[in-house]
Amino acid sequence: MAIDTRTLLRNESMIALVNCHKRFAETNTLGVVKKQNYTKNITTKEYLKSFQHKEYKIDLILKMVMLEDKLKLIHLTDVESRKLELARVLLDNPHTLVLDEFFKGMIDKEITYFIRFLRNLINKKNKKIILITDDMNIVSAYFKHFYLFTKGENYIYIDNMFDDVIYKYVRMPYTVELVKYLEKKGHTIDHDITFNETLKAIYRGVGK
Amino acid sequence: MSKYLKINDYNLIANSKILIKNFHLDFKGITIMLGASASGKTLLLKDFSQSTLDTDGKVEFFFGKTLHKNNPISSYNIELQNLYKYLTMNHENEKQKLALIEVLSRNPDFLFIDDLDWTQNDLALLFMYTNKKNISVFYATSDINKTVFADYLIVLSDNKIAIEGETSLVYNEEKIMKLLGFNLPFYINMSRQLRYYGIIDKICFTKKELEANIKWQ
């Protein structure tokens, strides 16, 4: 079935697409955030100014995505590139944002900050977010269900992180890995994949 | 006699700014440098690759680039062929793995590696090989979970080494690591919590270690 973002987002404000290789095209209502390979020797601020946005808005958005305004585009890391593209897209103010592997390469503090940031966009600015990622540690931490792409534009709805079909395509998150390993050893563990619930389940199931 | 490689009071300068100051290194085994994106890890390695380092050993660098023309895997010794066979079982990054095999075939004493997007299993295999061959490895990454392989851990923050030491000792500084932006690696964190409840006696770095040390009912 072809991808229709409105169908995917019907009842949700934020969804995850796993093993998705489709390239989304930007429109007036859909902004796409992905790593860019820049060739111009200009700064992040100059780049955003080239899209005719007001300076005070640029200064504000750069602070919000934790980027300095004097960084040269050609020296940006992949993480910085995605942050800059997020800034660019937010200045355009689309209704829906597609974030392509946005968290790749970020450390824990950055991930926590940007998850909160995205939730604020949803709650305060009424945005919709589509997160494309293969990182099941992120998916299992922040989503109860997601769409798994199996071939081309074919996808299935997954609401069980322990479904083996997922891990034919992507790597297992640590919590699922641990619970499955313990189950293989004959210990019954509740299938709640937050860190604290897995810890409690181990204590209840296998503790002395 | 084992080889040495020392770096003392090294300042990484980029665009007339000191990006990292007073960097030092006296490494053996596996040293992992942990830092956020743009903390200077890749630039530091590239700077080293263009400098004359204080060493009596053979130094190689790997930045993840694949080769234009690959040598056939059969041209390498059997140990490297086996390593390649196990590394490519999940078929990810095959060309990159072959390029690293080529670097390993040059028998370096010291190997600097910029972060690889490999599984924990693949990294474990690589480090088993380098340990067996007495290759000292310096690995730069932003992924805390990869630091479980380190004998020595260096954490970069605010343009300098924020904390360093034997890996387990650095993990003990959980509050400092949190301030620097890092949660502990998953199995370290899990085993610390389980030790608190008396279910385990030691801190475990891997799933297998955790399983082997849980006190079953």
Side-chain angles (χ1 to χ4, degrees), chain A residues 76-191:
Chain A
L76 292 184
T77 63
D78 292 352
V79 168
E80 287 172 322
S81 164
R82 291 189 206 101
K83 287 179 182 177
L84 180 59
E85 290 303 303
L86 178 61
R88 178 188 65 75
V89 162
L90 286 174
L91 285 167
D92 285 338
N93 199 26
H95 178 254
T96 304
L97 281 71
V98 175
L99 276 57
D100 195 339
E101 290 292 1
F102 183 71
F103 297 104
K104 192 170 183 179
M106 283 192 184
I107 64 174
D108 298 311
K109 182 169 77 171
E110 287 174 308
I111 294 171
T112 305
Y113 172 83
F114 278 105
I115 289 285
R116 203 178 308 129
F117 182 87
L118 294 176
R119 286 185 174 149
N120 275 339
L121 286 178
I122 292 166
N123 295 332
K124 294 187 178 163
K125 303 285 183 186
N126 214 26
K127 302 274 182 230
K128 303 272 189 184
I129 310 279
I130 297 171
L131 180 69
I132 300 174
T133 183
D134 286 354
D135 187 340
M136 288 304 294
N137 287 303
I138 299 254
V139 176
S140 61
Y142 298 109
F143 295 86
K144 293 239 180 280
H145 43 256
F146 61 95
Y147 294 96
L148 173 70
F149 283 70
T150 53
K151 192 176 180 184
E153 295 197 356
N154 295 326
Y155 59 86
I156 51 176
Y157 176 82
I158 303 277
D159 60 2
N160 174 13
M161 297 292 167
F162 290 83
D163 193 337
D164 285 328
V165 73
I166 305 168
Y167 307 113
K168 291 181 189 170
Y169 300 96
V170 287
R171 296 174 206 168
M172 211 175 273
Y174 294 110
T175 44
V176 172
E177 180 187 67
L178 179 58
V179 170
K180 278 186 176 277
Y181 193 67
L182 291 168
E183 285 181 338
K184 263 191 195 163
K185 294 292 181 182
H187 302 283
T188 308
I189 306 286
D190 291 340
H191 275 193

Side-chain angles (χ1 to χ4, degrees), chain B residues 8 13 16 20-21 33 43 45-46 53-55 68 80-81 87 97 101 114 125 140 144 147 160 173 177 187 190-191:
Chain B
N8 289 316
I13 297 170
S16 309
I20 298 173
K21 54 186 176 221
M33 180 171 68
L43 277 178
L45 259 61
K46 288 196 167 157
L53 298 174
D54 178 14
T55 181
H68 288 299
L80 284 172
Q81 286 185 43
L87 283 178
K97 285 163 181 172
I101 295 286
D114 199 14
L125 286 169
I144 185 78
T147 64
K160 60 182 185 298
E173 303 296 338
M177 292 297 282
Y187 286 105
M190 181 62 72
S191 57

Side-chain angles (χ1 to χ4, degrees), chain A residues 75 77 79-80 104-105 107-109 171 174-175 177-178 181-182 185 187 195 199 202-203 206-208, chain B residues 15 37-38 92 117 119 142 145 181-183 186-187 190 193-194 198-199 207 210-211 215-217:
Chain A
H75 294 143
T77 63
V79 168
E80 287 172 322
K104 192 170 183 179
I107 64 174
D108 298 311
K109 182 169 77 171
R171 296 174 206 168
Y174 294 110
T175 44
E177 180 187 67
L178 179 58
Y181 193 67
L182 291 168
K185 294 292 181 182
H187 302 283
F195 181 92
L199 175 66
I202 294 172
Y203 179 75
V206 309
K208 57 177 181 173
Chain B
N15 300 323
S37 170
E92 283 180 12
D117 188 18
T119 64
S142 58
N145 285 294
F182 300 100
N183 296 330
F186 178 83
Y187 286 105
M190 181 62 72
Q193 303 288 336
L194 290 173
I199 293 171
K207 179 182 74 180
L210 190 78
E211 161 64 13
K215 296 173 186 170
W216 305 111
Q217 276 179 329

